[in-house]
Amino acid sequence: MTVRIGVSGWSYDEWSGDFYPEDLPASRRLRYVAERFDTVEANGSFYSLLTPSAYRSWYDDTPAGFRMAVKGSRFITHNKSLSDARVPLANFFASGPLALKEKLGPILWQLPERHALDPERLDFFLSLLPGSFEEAGDLAGQHDDEVEDAWIETGENHRIRHVLEARHESFRRKEAVRILRDRDVAMAISHAGDWERTEEITAGFVYLRLHGAPRTYRSGYGDEALDDWARKIRKWAAGGEPEDALGSTDLQPPRRKGRDVYVYFDNDTEGRAPYDALALTERVG
């Protein structure tokens, strides 16, 4: 098992002169982050299709052993609401994430708060998600004209992990948990001030997004909160379940001897994310 702790995104001008040295060029921010953390969450892929050259540059700017989680396209999660997703998924995978090769971490599918559970739609969407580079390459080959510079090379056949961040209360039901477990897709543990979280473990790994509370994207985490998260993370990583885990069902989590844990701080608006990530890293060890 491996615990990886980092931040969500790195292109924050407001971090200049604070976490980033004032004279650090924007082009070197990812390298700066990768020197201090072993993972980061890439946000740009959420807003638009990127290009293989962008992903290749990220690969070159990060050290061996680094992992980059990639946010799936909001066109799929927000515009299409997970419906008619085969071609948009093909376009997403053809746009270059496979160019990250062994550094590709979990792929995050973030649903809007308004998105309520539709069990059949959710299950069908999850059934389309590729579980390996080979499957992703086959899917990427079905892209349409939205992708001009397609990357469908797979190289080594690494596995691909997927995460769903659902913010609507309907995803706290047993039905949603069972679907995610059947598909081995992690339900993100999403801590914020604007929606209620659940700590249901639905896959062989754990994925935390710490957005800050009570002010989402702004509030920092104090010593007591960081100590508490460190304790839970160690328990999850060891294959266990914290006694005070905020589960929304009485379903027992899948049994594991150990779990990889990915943690990303997204309380970036006032610059707390990198400092909280460093403090949690120190606590977890």
Side-chain angles (χ1 to χ4, degrees):
M1 66 84 185
T2 302
V3 176
R4 296 178 180 273
I5 300 171
V7 292
S8 181
W10 61 86
S11 300
Y12 301 115
D13 291 339
E14 56 268 30
W15 291 7
S16 182
D18 184 9
F19 177 67
Y20 294 139
E22 195 164 359
D23 59 351
L24 183 73
S27 61
R28 294 191 61 85
R29 288 173 179 170
L30 175 58
R31 290 191 181 189
Y32 191 88
V33 165
E35 289 170 356
R36 287 152 180 81
F37 305 107
D38 57 7
T39 189
V40 75
E41 207 174 59
N43 290 328
S45 51
F46 176 68
Y47 298 101
S48 63
L49 290 176
L50 303 180
T51 63
S53 62
Y55 289 99
R56 288 198 301 269
S57 70
W58 293 347
Y59 183 92
D60 292 339
D61 283 347
T62 53
F66 194 82
R67 292 294 181 272
M68 179 173 287
V70 176
K71 288 185 71 172
S73 167
R74 69 174 176 180
F75 179 73
I76 296 170
T77 56
H78 290 52
N79 295 42
K80 302 292 287 184
S81 295
L82 306 185
S83 297
D84 302 319
R86 187 182 299 274
V87 173
L89 278 170
N91 290 343
F92 172 75
F93 282 101
S95 68
L98 299 182
L100 287 172
K101 299 184 278 190
E102 79 282 357
K103 295 181 183 179
L104 177 63
I107 297 179
L108 170 67
W109 303 97
Q110 176 189 306
L111 297 178
E113 292 178 56
R114 67 177 184 274
H115 187 113
L117 174 65
D118 180 327
E120 291 185 5
R121 184 190 308 179
L122 175 64
D123 188 56
F124 184 70
F125 171 73
L126 299 183
S127 75
L128 298 176
L129 298 179
S132 67
F133 271 45
E134 183 176 325
E135 292 177 6
D138 290 342
L139 179 59
Q142 303 173 40
H143 71 86
D144 63 15
D145 293 340
E146 288 293 319
V147 180
E148 296 181 1
D149 181 16
W151 180 287
I152 58 176
E153 301 173 29
T154 58
E156 292 186 31
N157 191 28
H158 304 287
R159 69 174 172 178
I160 299 178
R161 289 167 158 173
H162 296 275
V163 183
L164 186 79
E165 185 182 52
R167 300 174 176 181
H168 194 275
E169 62 181 9
S170 58
F171 280 84
R172 295 170 57 81
R173 303 202 308 248
K174 287 184 180 181
E175 195 168 15
V177 173
R178 288 193 178 106
I179 292 171
L180 288 164
R181 286 183 179 173
D182 287 345
R183 297 295 181 183
D184 196 29
V185 172
M187 178 181 286
I189 297 172
S190 181
H191 178 251
D194 293 337
W195 57 86
E196 192 172 358
R197 81 179 184 272
T198 182
E199 296 174 2
E200 292 282 350
I201 306 303
T202 62
F205 67 104
V206 178
Y207 196 99
L208 282 75
R209 302 194 80 210
L210 302 179
H211 301 284
R215 297 181 302 151
T216 305
Y217 308 124
R218 293 179 180 273
S219 293
Y221 289 84
D223 289 340
E224 184 177 350
L226 291 171
D227 288 344
D228 196 47
W229 282 116
R231 174 182 56 81
K232 288 187 173 183
I233 288 166
R234 286 193 293 267
K235 191 71 173 182
W236 283 317
E241 178 82 351
E243 292 182 2
D244 57 345
L246 297 178
S248 57
T249 74
D250 58 2
L251 299 174
Q252 295 300 307
R255 299 182 66 179
R256 293 288 190 278
K257 292 183 178 179
R259 302 185 186 97
D260 291 339
V261 182
Y262 297 82
V263 185
Y264 300 99
F265 282 88
D266 191 30
N267 53 337
D268 55 75
T269 302
E270 296 181 358
R272 289 306 314 162
Y275 298 109
D276 287 344
L278 289 170
L280 183 62
T281 299
E282 183 177 355
R283 283 166 166 79
V284 172

